[in-house]
Amino acid sequence: MNDHRNALIAAVGGAVLTLLPTMAMAAGDMGQTQQQATNWHAIVMFVLFVGLTLAITYWAAKHTRSASDFYAAGGGITGFQNGLAIAGDYMSAASFLGISALVYGSGFDGLIYSVGWLVGWPIILFLVAERLRNLGKYTFADVASYRLQQTPVRSFAATGALVVVVFYLIGQMVGAGQLIKLLFGLDYLYAVIIVGVLMIIYVTFGGMKATTWVQIIKACLLLSGATFIALAVLFKFGFSFEALFAKAVEVHPKHQAIMSPGTLVTNPVEAISLAMALMFGTAGLPHILMRFFTVPDARAARKSVFYATSFIGYFYILTFIIGFGAIVLVGGHAEYLDATGKALRGGANMAAVHLAHAVGGDLFLGFISAVAFATILAVVSGLTLAGASAISHDLYANVFFRGRTNEQHEVVVSKVASLGLGVVAVILGIIFEKQNVAYMVGLTFAIAASTNFPVLIMSMFWKGLTTRGAVTGGFIGLAAAVIMTVLGPTVWVDVFHYPTAIFPLKYPAIFSMPLAFAATWLFSVLDRSESARVEREAFEAQQLRSETGLGAEGAAVH
């Protein structure tokens, strides 16, 4: 059984290294993960999860008849359900294992990512949620193009959404493929294909209803598992945080330093840039923004954010406890260390996995491993639906055919797009099997913060925005985020192995996001065309609808 456990830990460690930008410098060659003996606990739990979600997909398919059902679950998801689904979208395996690992290695400072992600939600609550629900229908491009020219703005919005989706999908597919490769002892090729097929089934047949319930189930499993670990840790210390922290300070190599900030990101400019990407990138992720169209009205949208923030905040508190628990119960215990006796067996990200075994044995280790895979599969499904919606609703229906099509054709195109994205994701997962792709997750947040967020916010709040400004500024932000990331240390040095980086920062948002805002403002102000005048005059009607909900899309299903 120990051989099985060690094999499982090694493979999970390799997989998760691809999923979190914080681990980019430590991420290794993904090809090192080998086929191993299977862990039957993990397999049984994985099969149960897949069986349940396929049954839900079958049910959802029978109730998915219109475009509203496919894209937005008919607008019939409650605020509580949608909040849990949003939390499921956001609580990834990388968050669970990666942030716990950061706390294990750096203590208090390991929370920098979770704090950055969490504080993005008040921005969505107070600035985005209500107006987004009142102005949009299926995608955030509905809002960005509300009073602007449909063809150029939707083309830009779909491009930005697809870039974010594809970059996000690569890391998720590689990680999921490595997990299935281990759990079933399959070749990596077949493992990635299995993930792709499940993803296509969820999205193509069940649409948003199936994707939402997959996320809800996954969120419940992850919250339950993390809660059990945290309570088990606190139980060992009489539910005293003071005792836990005192013991962690005593046994950690850094001792008292783990209770102070500044050890993980020492450059203040890097810290600000990272915070900007995490905070504002959240409000630009297409698969997150789509979820606000699944609820009946703006009030439910606000409730969704409230519940999501609560669940996510609670989850990050658990990862904090888990990280400190791992310092005490995993660090220094020979069975969890490699041959050197200093590093964790299976890699730095394995703190939570080792802790799961320490408090719950092999059975609970199998449960946590199956949940780690379930989180990846659920996130992949949400990303695929967001990408398919950008292709079918924004490009096919509103750019190529300019509204001269029907909902049935649009849904068919979306299903074909889901199939195509699934194939592309499988191919990219195979191509990137042996590559360090951790930086892509960081890049997606930088792109979302520099491309989608500026245009979305300015379209809702600034009367002077024009089509020319939105499209030009958005594409400048997209190009800046990609170029600065490629020229920065994460890619130029760590991936391309050049001695020094051309752009000095790992996180470009501190430059790329203000550049996008400035370019959007400048090209809008300089636009003196007749169409620009009409677009500015249309702002008052848009503002009335965004604030009151008069004329907003209603729910098709309650």
Side-chain angles (χ1 to χ4, degrees):
M1 184 61 72
N2 284 336
D3 291 340
H4 290 178
R5 175 166 63 87
N6 294 340
L8 182 62
I9 288 168
V12 176
V16 178
L17 282 174
T18 68
L19 300 178
L20 189 70
T22 61
M23 297 293 121
M25 294 185 68
D29 184 347
M30 286 305 303
Q32 294 176 355
T33 301
Q34 302 296 322
Q35 289 174 240
Q36 302 284 354
T38 54
N39 181 298
W40 290 105
H41 296 132
I43 289 178
V44 170
M45 294 173 189
F46 162 69
V47 170
L48 288 174
F49 171 80
V50 171
L52 178 60
T53 51
L54 287 178
I56 289 173
T57 302
Y58 175 76
W59 165 81
K62 294 177 67 175
H63 293 82
T64 300
R65 300 182 180 90
S66 65
S68 177
D69 291 334
F70 185 83
Y71 292 124
I77 304 297
T78 68
F80 177 81
Q81 292 168 343
N82 196 45
L84 196 54
I86 292 172
D89 253 327
Y90 219 67
M91 296 184 304
S92 65
S95 295
F96 174 51
L97 301 179
I99 291 176
S100 299
L102 286 176
V103 175
Y104 172 80
S106 301
F108 175 83
D109 212 33
L111 286 177
I112 185 170
Y113 275 78
S114 56
V115 170
W117 277 321
L118 184 62
V119 296
W121 288 102
I123 295 172
I124 295 178
L125 175 61
F126 294 112
L127 296 182
V128 175
E130 181 175 350
R131 292 171 184 260
L132 189 77
R133 178 60 186 85
N134 286 337
L135 293 173
K137 188 175 183 180
Y138 301 141
T139 68
F140 85 94
D142 294 333
V143 180
S145 64
Y146 184 86
R147 61 185 170 89
L148 306 180
Q149 297 174 38
Q150 296 289 308
T151 299
V153 175
R154 285 189 183 273
S155 298
F156 150 73
T159 301
L162 287 171
V163 170
V164 170
V165 165
V166 169
F167 282 160
Y168 223 142
L169 271 177
I170 292 174
Q172 300 291 335
M173 287 298 292
V174 173
Q178 296 290 355
L179 285 175
I180 293 296
K181 172 182 174 180
L182 167 92
L183 295 175
F184 289 99
L186 290 177
D187 181 79
Y188 179 85
L189 173 65
Y190 299 118
V192 171
I193 291 175
I194 287 175
V195 176
V197 169
L198 287 172
M199 172 182 73
I200 291 169
I201 290 173
Y202 291 152
V203 177
T204 303
F205 294 102
M208 180 57 87
K209 278 185 179 154
T211 302
T212 297
W213 282 102
V214 168
Q215 290 288 11
I216 290 173
I217 294 171
K218 188 261 334 223
C220 291
L221 289 174
L222 186 57
L223 286 171
S224 300
T227 298
F228 176 83
I229 298 176
L231 289 177
V233 169
L234 291 176
F235 176 77
K236 291 180 180 295
F237 291 90
F239 293 94
S240 169
F241 284 96
E242 182 179 357
L244 172 62
F245 295 153
K247 186 64 176 179
V249 168
E250 177 187 336
V251 301
H252 198 282
K254 297 180 182 178
H255 298 295
Q256 193 62 41
I258 65 172
M259 302 305 295
S260 303
T263 59
L264 191 62
V265 181
T266 56
N267 184 337
V269 178
E270 288 268 24
I272 295 172
S273 188
L274 172 61
M276 290 175 64
L278 299 178
M279 289 171 56
F280 301 112
T282 301
L285 294 175
H287 64 296
I288 297 293
L289 296 176
M290 273 190 72
R291 295 225 158 266
F292 294 105
F293 305 119
T294 66
V295 292
D297 50 38
R299 182 182 179 185
R302 291 194 301 271
K303 285 185 177 180
S304 298
V305 183
F306 172 77
Y307 286 122
T309 306
S310 301
F311 287 127
I312 295 168
Y314 171 67
F315 171 73
Y316 285 139
I317 291 173
L318 296 179
T319 59
F320 184 58
I321 298 172
I322 290 169
F324 272 92
I327 292 174
V328 178
L329 301 177
V330 173
H333 291 69
E335 63 176 313
Y336 302 120
L337 302 178
D338 62 13
T340 66
K342 297 180 180 180
L344 288 179
R345 189 189 305 275
N349 283 332
M350 289 301 95
V353 175
H354 288 306
L355 185 60
H357 180 267
V359 300
D362 287 316
L363 180 63
F364 192 63
L365 171 65
F367 172 79
I368 288 297
S369 301
V371 168
F373 168 74
T375 62
I376 298 172
L377 184 59
V379 171
V380 163
S381 300
L383 288 167
T384 303
L385 183 59
S389 302
I391 293 171
S392 60
H393 180 62
D394 296 328
L395 295 179
Y396 171 80
N398 290 288
V399 173
F400 299 144
F401 284 87
R402 304 192 180 191
R404 298 188 301 273
T405 186
N406 57 48
E407 287 192 348
Q408 288 73 25
H409 289 164
E410 190 175 329
V411 172
V412 169
V413 170
S414 189
K415 291 182 176 182
V416 173
S418 300
L419 177 61
L421 279 172
V423 173
V424 169
V426 169
I427 293 173
L428 291 175
I430 294 170
I431 292 174
F432 282 87
E433 176 189 1
K434 298 183 179 181
Q435 298 298 316
N436 175 353
V437 295
Y439 68 88
M440 289 187 179
V441 180
L443 178 59
T444 58
F445 277 87
I447 290 176
S450 306
T451 307
N452 301 335
F453 177 73
V455 173
L456 180 65
I457 288 296
M458 295 183 82
S459 70
M460 291 192 292
F461 290 98
W462 186 42
K463 178 179 181 178
L465 181 69
T466 68
T467 299
R468 184 183 302 171
V471 174
T472 306
F475 275 120
I476 287 175
L478 172 62
V482 174
I483 292 172
M484 289 178 185
T485 300
V486 172
L487 298 181
T490 305
V491 179
W492 200 253
V493 177
D494 296 343
V495 177
F496 294 159
H497 303 297
Y498 288 101
T500 57
I502 297 175
F503 180 73
L505 302 180
K506 296 179 183 178
Y507 313 106
I510 194 171
F511 293 106
S512 58
M513 193 177 88
L515 180 61
F517 272 107
T520 303
W521 172 83
L522 178 63
F523 285 97
S524 294
V525 169
L526 295 178
D527 189 354
R528 302 296 181 183
S529 64
E530 177 63 21
S531 62
R533 183 188 66 80
V534 174
E535 290 163 0
R536 294 185 181 103
E537 290 179 351
F539 178 76
E540 290 185 7
Q542 172 188 311
Q543 187 177 32
L544 177 66
R545 173 166 165 171
S546 69
E547 293 179 351
T548 65
L550 295 174
E553 292 286 335
V557 177
H558 290 281

